[in-house]
Amino acid sequence: MTNLAEIPDLKGTISGEVVLPDDAGYDEARAVYNAMIDRRPALIARCHTPADVAAALEAGRRAGVPIAVRGGGHSGPGFGAVDGGVVIDLSPMNAIEVDAARRTVRVQGGATWGMVDAATHEHRLATPAGVISTTGVGGLTLGGGHGYLSRKYGLTIDNLLAAEVVLADGSVVTASETDHPDLFWALRGGGGNFGVATSFTFKLHPVGNVVCGPTAWPVSATTDVLSWFRDFMPAQDADLYGFFAVMTVPPVDTFPEAFHLQKACAVVWCYLGDPADATEALAPVRDIEPAFDGIGEAPYPALQSAFDGLYPKGLQWYWRGDFFQTVPNDAVAAHARFAEQLPTMFSTMHLYPIDGAVNQVGEQDTAWAYRDVTFSQVIVGVDPDPANAAAIKQWTVDYWDATHPYSAGGAYVNFMMDEGQDRVRATYRGNYDRLAEVKATYDPHNVFRINQNIHPAR
Ligand SMILES: Cc1cc2nc3c(=O)[nH]c(=O)nc-3n(C[C@H](O)[C@H](O)[C@H](O)COP(=O)(O)OP(=O)(O)OC[C@H]3O[C@@H](n4cnc5c(N)ncnc54)[C@H](O)[C@@H]3O)c2cc1C
């Protein structure tokens, strides 16, 4: 039963701002990262405390409207906004406490990775996260989280020590290996299905300056470079990480003008060992003669934020993902074909290595089920112009159709659009039924359903 009259009551109840459709800041408050998403919530609650979160949850439940939870707002399908419902916006909850002696960091649920990297880098420490620093800690962590540190230190969830969670009934619990271990298991990959994570505690590792940057080749070299990369990357020590991309070279100073707006294939590298050893580790890359070599030493947060400027909030995004054991020659041929057809300058395909430490965790140890694969692929059609939305979507879907037959079956949950229950099940493989049991315990009425949804078992 929907009772929208209940909702405005929240204005006097929570310590944070409440934004309603008639308020001046409404359009800005409802906007998420992906401009393809245009939803009109009944209310946006900017929460400052777990009590605010519980009050917003209660208001949404009483009114009988859907409830969306927003961390950094980067979800492709726009799960941080919902038509006619309550948005719990965690962005004011962004405090970060580093314990350098214990090598841990406690991060509130609405922080972004750029904030975390800046705080931990002061101590030359870091934890694995994604490759764009404006991404939210909340969504990235709960889905799994992979990036430059993952071959050496695992997924983001492999470094999660504890989470404070507001459950569907408004109670607040801590989940860890010892407290609510079933919830802790499900949070590590199961997305926002189980509650609102108001803080996370992560393990940190020594990471200071890294030797990093892109090497690029003309798009006509895609077959040769990808075939080489597929074999080279998994054979390397975990100190070396590189993700493969097909792309259009942006017209920025980093690249010589002759390359601007040329289609290309590239690998973005990050060497975590002693910088003095990087030349030797990267020698095989130089052997295949990149047309552009932008590798240099930089503070880790500089690498983490290197692509932020290229992908600001407000572009149109459509994406599809898959996991791969390897990239057979027929799949390489498909990549070469779709690289030639990149529809816009911002559109790209990334193939991220997730072997090494990620593979050392058991398939049932966390909700993340694909511990036996080598690569996580994302195809993203991106453009500022809504008139190109159909074209970027079509290219993405056609590209995905061409490579999916060579995949391991499922995709990283954070690289999926709204693709239906079969795809959610494919993501979790044999862990789905256990997740559905945990969901039945902690959220039996599916209050948290604006996500890649796991249906309660009972
Ligand atoms: C440009 C770009 C680059 C990316 N690169 C990477 C990458 O390198 N590696 C990688 O692993 N992923 C990457 N991602 C994917 C990213 O992990 C997901 O988009 C993720 O969902 C973003 O989290 P968010 O908090 O910003 O998003 P939101 O849209 O706020 O949330 C996403 C989902 O998580 C839920 N959620 C968020 N915070 C909380 C919380 N505190 N408690 C409970 N539920 C919550 C939401 O309800 C929603 O279902 C990238 C995304 C983008 C847009």
Side-chain angles (χ1 to χ4, degrees), residues 192-408:
N193 273 284
F194 305 95
V196 183
T198 43
S199 82
F200 300 92
T201 305
F202 298 103
K203 240 186 276 182
L204 294 171
H205 306 277
V207 181
N209 276 11
V210 293
V211 176
C212 60
T215 49
W217 296 261
V219 70
S220 55
T222 300
T223 301
D224 290 344
V225 177
L226 179 52
S227 307
W228 167 83
F229 173 83
R230 155 196 81 191
D231 298 332
F232 172 77
M233 194 67 258
Q236 303 312 299
D237 186 88
D239 275 333
L240 186 63
Y241 176 101
F243 75 81
F244 178 87
V246 300
M247 58 179 284
T248 303
V249 177
V252 293
D253 290 348
T254 320
F255 299 98
E257 223 173 302
F259 291 105
H260 289 182
L261 299 177
Q262 300 297 307
K263 289 179 176 139
C265 64
V267 181
V268 181
W269 300 99
C270 175
Y271 182 68
L272 294 169
D274 184 337
D277 299 333
T279 304
E280 194 184 333
L282 290 161
V285 184
R286 268 86 190 221
D287 286 348
I288 56 162
E289 299 178 353
F292 171 74
D293 185 336
I295 298 174
E297 190 172 333
Y300 174 69
L303 171 65
Q304 284 291 87
S305 54
F307 302 110
D308 291 4
L310 188 59
Y311 291 111
K313 182 177 176 179
L315 306 179
Q316 308 275 313
W317 285 75
Y318 190 87
W319 63 29
R320 288 282 178 96
D322 260 325
F323 289 124
F324 291 83
Q325 310 276 11
T326 185
V327 189
N329 290 341
D330 288 349
V332 171
H335 284 289
R337 204 166 63 248
F338 282 91
E340 296 277 5
Q341 297 166 16
L342 280 158
T344 62
M345 189 200 82
F346 298 89
S347 301
T348 184
M349 184 286 301
H350 290 176
L351 195 62
Y352 298 104
I354 50 166
D355 54 344
V358 179
N359 291 171
Q360 282 155 26
V361 177
E363 217 165 276
Q364 289 161 15
D365 291 350
T366 65
W368 173 290
Y370 280 88
R371 294 291 182 167
D372 56 340
V373 295
T374 313
F375 299 109
S376 171
Q377 173 180 300
V378 68
I379 303 165
V380 286
V382 190
D383 199 59
D385 189 349
N388 288 331
I392 59 178
K393 180 174 177 185
Q394 195 60 50
W395 173 80
T396 304
V397 171
D398 290 347
Y399 194 161
W400 185 86
D401 283 346
T403 54
H404 179 66
Y406 309 101
S407 77

Side-chain angles (χ1 to χ4, degrees), residues 33 69-76 79-80 90 109 130-132 135-136 138-140 142 145-146 192 195-197 200 317 319 352 412 414-415 450-451:
Y33 184 78
V69 180
R70 187 187 303 169
H74 270 218
S75 153
F79 290 138
L90 299 170
V131 302
I132 298 268
T135 306
L140 181 135
L142 295 167
H146 59 64
V196 183
F200 300 92
W317 285 75
W319 63 29
Y352 298 104
Y412 175 28
N414 278 348
F415 286 163
I450 309 302
N451 48 37

